[in-house]
Amino acid sequence: MFEKVLIANRGEIALRVIRACRDLGIRTVAVHSTIDSDAMHVRLADESVCIGPPAPRDSYLSMAALISAATVAGADAIHPGLGFLAENSTFAQVVADHGFIFIGPSPDHIATMGDKIAAKAAMAAVGVSGVPGGDNAIEDETEAARIAAEIGYPVLVKAAAGGGGRGMQIARTPTNLGPALGLARREAAGAFGDSRVFIEKFIENPRHIEIQILADSHGNAVHLGERDCSIQRRHQKVIEEAPSPILDESLRTGIGERAATAVRRLGYLGVGTLEFLFDGRDFHFIEMNTRLQVEHPVTEMVTGVDLVREQLTVAAGGKLTFGQKDVRFDGHAIECRVNAEDARTFVPSPGRVREYHPPGGPGIRVDSALFAGCIVPPHYDSLVAKLVAHGPDRAIATARLARALDEYVIEGIETNLDLHRRIARNQDFNNGACDIHWLERWMDNA
Ligand code: ADP
């Protein structure tokens, strides 16, 4: 096992990794920008290194600063967390080139899965089929029209390098296709520096269902069931839960085993998530995330597996500590993403937190780096806390979630806690009846 791990991240995810390291007796090195010098991840780590000014490109995204920090601190491995450089294959390579272990999959797997076209091809080759369409980048409008006619409208134009729900444009009819292509290309070039787009079938009212997998370097791979992440706004997840209210045992086991087999055949290492759209009958692969996900705690709550502990173990060359038959699912878990943002406009709301009181009691877990007096800087992601409720069944988990949301006090900054409180008491939500468009439809009518 490692002796000292540097965590190339901040906020709640840095805390999450520090905690897993502590449990394993691994020393931790936090890195921070100047504005984060008093942050919780700095306080809880064994050591910390300032890596630059607040702007991400000068600190948390600076490979040179991170490698220097790891060298000075004498770390033997680097955990990228999520966001920032977690899915940057160049970083994974640079980390290895400097003699450190990158806690994640190989640079090749990161690069392949970071390109949605390549990812669909790689998955198809190991038995996981994607949304119809999208085998190649679109060269011109004629080709786009031909593919769209073949798969049938409506279609979605997507950025190959896309992420964060950006670079997607729907075309419902042939006349929409040209404009959608232009818009998606421009957005992709601006956001990702890569204007390649592809076309796939727009699935009308699917659920977003993803499978958590875990693999070691000894040929073992398991799945830890699904998460249903259908409560979304602008293609971004707001609430996630496990198990999905609409899957039965045979669907769950079928897709889980297909995902585990696929990553075993790929020779993948570490944690990962295969994302699917489920149309009520079939699962259509959309992408794979080659890192820990924001919503990993819901899986931890229903399986009792510490995903970060396993991630550290397999990165250090260890074997998985359990097999597929040992994975047990217990009850139901639901996670709310608490963001520092204006309740009406969704514009980020940085500032100083004046009062802070997290909820507790049976079945409640809060992953957050907030404390009274801390600063939420404007430079980073607006996610400030994850509230997860677990219960023996979905009704109890939902009741606990609603109760915990009522207890939660965050003052000084705006948050979306009220939105979560309203969703937790909504009838459709309580019935488990929400597809990926439900939240936006409901907010439009509210
Ligand atoms: P990103 O990498 O930007 O998160 P994804 O490919 O993971 O993009 O898709 C994010 C979300 O966008 C999905 O959960 C779903 O809501 C929507 N989406 C993506 N592809 C399709 C599709 N073919 N049909 C309908 N909705 C889609």
Side-chain angles (χ1 to χ4, degrees):
M1 187 42 85
F2 306 119
E3 279 181 18
K4 202 190 253 192
V5 168
L6 179 135
I7 297 129
N9 218 298
R10 64 182 300 283
E12 64 85 21
I13 201 65
L15 286 195
R16 176 69 192 86
V17 178
I18 290 171
R19 286 173 174 147
C21 289
R22 273 275 156 80
D23 290 347
L24 282 162
I26 301 170
R27 292 182 61 75
T28 53
V29 184
V31 293
H32 66 90
S33 68
T34 47
I35 203 161
D36 273 341
S37 55
D38 197 28
M40 192 54 99
H41 73 287
V42 175
R43 296 179 181 205
L44 288 197
D46 294 305
E47 298 168 35
S48 64
V49 183
C50 181
I51 50 166
R57 67 171 180 281
D58 300 324
S59 49
Y60 298 103
L61 290 174
S62 166
M63 297 189 200
L66 291 163
I67 296 293
S68 307
T71 307
V72 169
D76 36 15
I78 298 183
H79 194 301
L82 52 83
F84 293 127
L85 295 169
E87 285 174 296
N88 185 311
S89 57
T90 305
F91 182 59
Q93 189 62 56
V94 166
V95 167
D97 290 346
H98 284 80
F100 303 106
I101 304 252
F102 178 78
I103 300 174
S106 71
D108 277 355
H109 282 145
I110 298 174
T112 303
M113 298 306 166
D115 178 330
K116 289 185 204 283
I117 300 173
K120 284 176 82 171
M123 280 298 166
V126 290
V128 174
S129 50
V131 180
D135 302 341
N136 286 300
I138 296 293
E139 298 295 339
D140 54 52
E141 257 188 63
T142 325
E143 190 192 353
R146 183 182 55 74
I147 297 172
E150 227 170 80
I151 56 178
Y153 287 87
V155 298
L156 197 60
V157 185
K158 290 173 83 167
R166 287 177 301 170
M168 270 183 247
Q169 293 294 331
I170 178 170
R172 292 214 165 262
T173 61
T175 40
N176 300 147
L177 186 61
L181 209 55
L183 271 172
R185 273 221 177 95
R186 275 196 296 284
E187 207 183 342
F192 314 112
D194 177 351
S195 64
R196 286 175 310 129
V197 296
F198 65 102
I199 290 183
E200 65 184 25
K201 181 90 187 151
F202 179 74
I203 315 270
E204 265 323 322
N205 293 106
R207 308 281 288 224
H208 174 115
I209 299 209
E210 57 185 36
I211 304 292
Q212 176 71 55
I213 59 88
L214 178 58
D216 66 19
S217 54
H218 303 270
N220 305 303
V222 296
H223 74 86
L224 294 150
E226 82 282 12
R227 293 183 288 259
D228 189 322
C229 314
S230 299
I231 309 282
Q232 303 183 352
R233 184 179 162 271
R234 296 197 174 160
H235 306 304
Q236 286 207 282
K237 300 160 190 166
V238 177
I239 294 179
E240 306 96 349
E241 64 183 296
S244 167
I246 61 156
L247 291 194
D248 62 24
E249 203 42 49
S250 85
L251 282 167
R252 167 171 307 117
T253 310
I255 192 65
E257 282 176 0
R258 217 181 314 154
T261 304
V263 295
R264 199 177 301 121
R265 288 175 65 186
L266 286 171
Y268 184 85
L269 172 67
V271 298
T273 300
L274 279 74
E275 298 193 334
F276 298 89
L277 295 178
F278 177 63
D279 61 14
R281 220 189 56 186
D282 297 315
F283 292 93
H284 308 277
F285 172 77
I286 46 174
E287 69 160 348
M288 178 172 185
N289 290 316
T290 53
R291 53 163 167 83
L292 205 57
Q293 303 257 117
V294 170
E295 59 273 23
H296 76 276
V298 299
T299 299
E300 297 189 320
M301 300 282 270
V302 295
T303 60
V305 171
D306 179 337
L307 281 167
V308 186
R309 183 187 182 97
E310 295 298 327
Q311 186 185 26
L312 288 159
T313 304
V314 300
K319 283 190 178 165
L320 283 183
T321 57
F322 58 90
Q324 191 65 57
K325 63 176 181 351
D326 306 312
V327 179
R328 298 263 177 279
F329 298 98
D330 170 31
H332 203 98
I334 310 176
E335 173 185 280
C336 292
R337 294 191 184 201
V338 181
N339 296 332
E341 65 192 15
D342 184 280
R344 270 167 299 276
T345 61
F346 296 97
V347 171
S349 169
R352 188 179 289 278
V353 173
R354 277 188 292 106
E355 295 274 346
Y356 185 68
H357 179 80
I364 298 302
R365 166 173 168 181
V366 178
D367 281 20
S368 174
L370 292 185
F371 58 91
C374 77
I375 288 181
V376 176
H379 313 83
Y380 314 115
D381 197 275
S382 62
L383 178 89
V384 290
K386 304 187 306 205
L387 167 58
V388 197
H390 179 252
D393 60 31
R394 189 171 190 271
I396 297 174
T398 308
R400 287 176 169 172
L401 183 71
R403 178 253 296 163
L405 283 163
D406 286 345
E407 282 179 31
Y408 212 157
V409 178
I410 305 175
E411 277 173 18
I413 55 169
E414 296 285 320
T415 70
N416 61 350
L417 276 171
D418 263 335
L419 174 67
H420 284 302
R421 288 179 186 123
R422 287 189 291 128
I423 297 172
R425 292 194 163 79
N426 177 277
Q427 203 53 53
D428 292 339
F429 179 73
N430 276 269
N431 293 341
C434 307
D435 65 34
I436 60 169
H437 306 296
W438 176 84
L439 180 58
E440 288 185 352
R441 269 197 316 264
W442 177 67
M443 289 195 315
D444 283 348
N445 296 328

